[in-house]
Amino acid sequence: MAKKSSGASQLEDEADLARPASHGTGKSGGQDTNSTYLYSGTAGHADSYHRSQKETDDLALAHAKYIVDRRTQKDAAQVLALFSSAADSDTVDSIAARMESVLGGDLSDPELAEYAGQFREWLAHSSFSTERPIYGYCEAFVLFVARLIKSRHRRDADWRLVLPGECNDFKPIDSNSNRQPDMCFQLDAIDSNVGTRNIQRYIDTFAIAEAKRLDTRAEGDKALAQLVDNSTNIYLAQLDRRFLWGLTVCASSVYAALMIHDKVLVSPAMDIRKAEGRKQFISLLVYWSMCPQERLGYDPTIRRCEPGELQSMTGDSVQDEMDSIAYEIDCYDDKECQWHTYVSVRTIAGASRCMGRHTRTIIARRKHEAGASAISTPAGASVDAQEVVIKDAWARTSADADKDDTRNEIELLRIVRNTFSWDKSMMYSKLEAGGTVQLKRDGVYVDDTTAAVLDMLGSDAREQLDIPYRVHRRIATSPVGHDIKTVKNEEELIIVLAEAMHCHNRILNECGILHRDISTGNILVVRSDSAPSGVHGLLIDLDSAIQTDANLKAPAERSGTPVFMSIANVEDLTEDRTALDDWESLL
């Protein structure tokens, strides 16, 4: 049989670049392997179960090296222009002048003079015998800038401090690997004391820096690969990150890295031995301290509840199921043109890679409305007792708004809901709310897309940088299921599989939708007292699904979870895909 030639396939986006799932990261936003909930059927997930931690780490680093080789644009002038032009010029000029004054011997200010010796040592070397002194030099530079930013703060300005961690080359307690970032930076309130911070977790980290003793291409690539690898842990730990910043420091050259969904943009070198390079690094730190928080990569539609806001919960069973940090999550339904706000209960899967869709799945409860059954939450909000699954992902699609998007999971879920809303006996993944995430810009709501992320780099940045178009979508569905491994016996397993595939058959025949990703991750167990056997089978995740033609066939396209793929998908054959491919995946 002939094979179909394909370019950048779905698998390059979903599996070939996938970082293996966590083997347990506690309660800090990574994969929760102790939970009985399971929602996402991420491609490449199942075949990582039996790897050792070393094999997992090595594969992740290989993935990072691939990104450096294939998905990185170095000397990206747009990045340097961003913080050089957008940072407050008066503040940058003032801090740069004070630094040059200190380097020139002005020790009149004791707080600033203490950094003079470290500055001179850093400036005197173009290479080092070890990278460890660079940690202290970089720390001193950041603290120097932070002191002067704090001294210039105006009460009406929403500024912040960028501060270094006191631990270097260490393993954070919520790490998904045995890798150790060289330096971590944290954001703190502008009125905080200036000094190092005891940063022990990725969940508290704004950005990472990796250092090398030489400024060579090989060392720079190695530092960048380590930065990409370690920064993935920030995505895992923090639900509210849309993109990331980071630094590589090679001897006396500093490089800023902007990590977005399909590319890493690296600034030209900022040479600390030259006044111009020092000023550029100052500009970056000023930009980070003063720009809107959205430009630091944070999602304004997901708000972290501060520890001081957390309140005790009613009921021990609920207390045991809560993450240590709760989030308020806005979900916009673009059909109803209505906002829904949820409070997170537990993170099932964080964004487990630096590139791609950044899929996150969270168990949450909707904020309480009058008449609904409610409980108290750590965020101090009153929420509905019913749990939902929130799925947040950046889907790759066409920038042409008029082009039919046959793989829009939200639209497919709406078709299913409208078709089966009358049938109370059928168990299916019901859409509660869903749409494109909305950002407020100058008083107007706009879709959150790749274009919205790259807006800060210029209106034509996406075309210049050849970056695919992605749309940020968020959906809430119910019911919440359990891992298929929680079945108690063979009878329950048969019932769960039979009900899931019955749902598959009806969705295909009555909605014209072919699932195309049958796997153990996408068939769940729902326990119910109303079920004769005590269990139902739940088929989830229409992320790979597609609408079929009149003959219930779909175009030949490689899709699904690799270890469960049909032969036609494995070999990428040209034959149309049918229900038989999904049944083959089940078997």
Side-chain angles (χ1 to χ4, degrees):
M1 289 182 284
K3 292 188 179 181
K4 176 178 73 72
S5 62
S6 61
S9 68
Q10 177 200 3
L11 292 186
E12 183 179 4
D13 187 37
E14 296 302 324
D16 292 344
L17 298 180
R19 181 187 179 100
S22 164
H23 292 266
T25 59
K27 293 185 175 183
S28 300
Q31 184 79 17
D32 182 7
T33 54
N34 295 319
S35 173
T36 55
Y37 298 109
L38 182 65
Y39 180 77
S40 62
T42 306
H45 179 87
D47 65 343
S48 68
Y49 286 170
H50 304 296
R51 293 192 184 107
S52 68
Q53 185 64 60
K54 184 180 184 305
E55 289 172 330
T56 299
D57 290 349
D58 289 346
L59 186 62
L61 187 58
H63 167 217
K65 290 177 179 177
Y66 172 90
I67 290 174
V68 172
D69 291 340
R70 302 282 296 277
R71 299 289 188 88
T72 295
Q73 179 158 335
K74 298 176 182 177
D75 294 324
Q78 297 93 335
V79 177
L80 185 61
L82 167 63
F83 56 79
S84 296
S85 61
D88 182 77
S89 58
D90 290 341
T91 301
V92 172
D93 291 342
S94 173
I95 295 175
R98 290 296 296 276
M99 183 170 287
E100 298 309 309
S101 177
V102 169
L103 286 170
D106 180 3
L107 306 180
S108 57
D109 186 333
E111 288 188 340
L112 299 181
E114 66 177 286
Y115 304 117
Q118 288 176 295
F119 287 170
R120 293 194 185 97
E121 286 181 25
W122 199 5
L123 272 55
H125 295 83
S126 59
S127 64
F128 297 87
S129 59
T130 174
E131 66 191 41
R132 289 199 167 273
I134 300 173
Y135 305 158
Y137 302 152
C138 193
E139 175 187 303
F141 197 107
V142 173
L143 290 174
F144 182 95
V145 174
R147 286 191 184 280
L148 291 175
I149 287 176
K150 180 176 181 178
S151 69
R152 293 179 60 85
H153 176 246
R154 304 186 306 272
R155 287 192 175 185
D156 61 337
D158 186 19
W159 295 1
R160 64 196 70 85
L161 296 177
V162 178
L163 299 171
E166 61 187 30
C167 298
N168 302 121
D169 193 19
F170 74 108
K171 179 182 176 181
I173 59 177
D174 57 351
S175 177
N176 192 45
S177 71
N178 286 326
R179 306 289 185 199
Q180 300 183 168
D182 288 340
M183 293 173 275
C184 292
F185 300 95
Q186 180 176 305
L187 302 179
D188 217 334
I190 192 67
D191 56 356
S192 303
N193 293 328
V194 175
T196 56
R197 293 295 186 263
N198 182 25
I199 305 174
Q200 295 290 335
R201 305 184 301 172
Y202 280 113
I203 201 166
D204 301 318
T205 300
F206 158 62
I208 289 169
E210 293 294 333
K212 294 297 172 188
R213 65 186 188 87
L214 301 174
D215 186 18
T216 64
R217 178 171 181 173
E219 289 293 276
D221 286 352
K222 190 183 298 184
L224 189 57
Q226 290 172 344
L227 175 66
V228 170
D229 185 22
N230 287 323
S231 293
T232 301
N233 283 286
I234 299 180
Y235 276 128
L236 271 169
Q238 300 179 24
L239 298 183
D240 55 345
R241 296 305 288 270
R242 295 163 70 232
F243 59 87
L244 298 177
W245 286 92
L247 296 174
T248 57
V249 187
C250 299
S252 56
S253 293
V254 179
Y255 302 84
L258 180 60
M259 292 167 275
I260 52 181
H261 303 91
D262 293 280
K263 189 158 283 190
V264 177
L265 306 176
V266 182
S267 73
M270 294 175 276
D271 190 345
I272 300 302
R273 293 172 299 168
K274 300 177 181 178
E276 180 185 9
R278 294 191 288 275
K279 188 173 182 179
Q280 289 169 339
F281 191 17
I282 291 169
S283 295
L284 175 64
L285 296 172
V286 169
Y287 178 78
W288 284 351
S289 299
M290 299 183 183
C291 73
Q293 195 149 348
E294 182 187 322
R295 291 198 167 196
L296 298 176
Y298 290 95
D299 188 337
T301 67
I302 300 180
R303 299 169 296 280
R304 188 184 303 191
C305 301
E306 297 298 327
E309 297 179 88
L310 302 183
Q311 298 180 1
S312 60
M313 303 204 27
T314 59
D316 291 339
S317 61
V318 178
Q319 178 84 47
D320 293 341
E321 292 182 2
M322 277 291 178
D323 277 347
S324 58
I325 292 180
Y327 293 84
E328 281 193 349
I329 304 169
D330 295 333
C331 188
Y332 179 71
D333 192 296
D334 50 21
K335 197 74 170 179
E336 299 175 358
C337 298
Q338 186 176 355
W339 290 92
H340 304 273
T341 299
Y342 296 86
V343 177
S344 67
V345 175
R346 182 180 293 275
T347 301
I348 300 304
S352 59
R353 68 199 70 168
C354 191
M355 294 276 149
R357 299 173 62 87
H358 291 174
T359 302
R360 296 176 169 101
T361 50
I362 307 121
I363 306 299
R365 296 188 176 104
R366 186 175 168 182
K367 272 197 167 182
H368 178 54
E369 295 179 357
S373 175
I375 61 172
S376 175
T377 70
S382 183
V383 298
D384 292 354
Q386 178 189 0
E387 291 182 340
V388 301
V389 175
I390 292 179
K391 180 178 178 180
D392 184 281
W394 289 76
R396 189 167 174 172
T397 185
S398 170
D400 185 355
D402 297 325
K403 187 173 181 180
D404 184 29
D405 187 357
T406 58
R407 282 192 55 200
N408 186 334
E409 184 178 14
I410 298 170
E411 292 305 320
L412 297 180
L413 284 168
R414 285 198 179 104
I415 293 172
V416 172
R417 181 182 63 185
N418 294 340
T419 303
F420 299 116
S421 59
W422 60 272
D423 191 344
K424 304 302 180 185
S425 65
M426 182 173 168
M427 178 69 64
Y428 65 96
S429 187
K430 180 184 176 183
L431 179 68
E432 300 289 346
T436 300
V437 173
Q438 300 292 297
L439 300 177
K440 198 169 186 178
R441 297 276 177 85
D442 299 323
V444 178
Y445 284 102
V446 299
D447 291 348
D448 191 13
T449 65
T450 308
V453 173
L454 295 174
D455 234 13
M456 59 186 182
L457 297 178
S459 58
D460 57 350
R462 191 177 69 84
E463 288 75 17
Q464 287 181 350
L465 300 168
D466 189 27
I467 294 176
Y469 189 79
R470 292 185 182 273
V471 176
H472 188 188
R473 292 170 179 157
R474 188 173 296 151
I475 61 177
T477 60
S478 66
V480 174
H482 300 253
D483 190 336
I484 197 170
K485 295 176 183 176
T486 62
V487 294
K488 297 177 180 178
N489 49 50
E490 293 87 347
E491 180 185 359
E492 284 193 353
L493 176 62
I494 292 171
I495 291 170
V496 168
L497 293 178
E499 287 198 11
M501 294 310 289
H502 173 68
C503 177
H504 172 277
N505 187 58
R506 291 193 64 182
I507 288 175
L508 175 61
N509 287 283
E510 298 178 46
C511 305
I513 297 171
L514 184 63
H515 190 279
R516 303 200 309 170
D517 190 16
I518 300 298
S519 66
T520 54
N522 287 337
I523 297 177
L524 305 185
V525 180
V526 178
R527 299 203 169 272
S528 171
D529 293 336
S530 62
S533 61
V535 296
H536 287 293
L538 177 65
L539 180 65
I540 64 166
D541 197 355
L542 297 184
D543 203 28
S544 296
I546 194 170
Q547 289 183 288
T548 63
D549 60 19
N551 296 317
L552 303 182
K553 294 181 179 181
E557 181 186 21
R558 204 175 186 200
S559 65
T561 303
V563 293
F564 296 99
M565 282 182 178
S566 67
I567 292 175
N569 277 315
V570 170
E571 298 190 359
D572 208 9
L573 303 181
T574 58
E575 283 73 11
D576 289 339
R577 303 298 189 259
T578 68
L580 290 177
D581 289 279
D582 283 356
W583 279 97
E584 188 177 336
S585 295
L586 177 74
L587 298 175

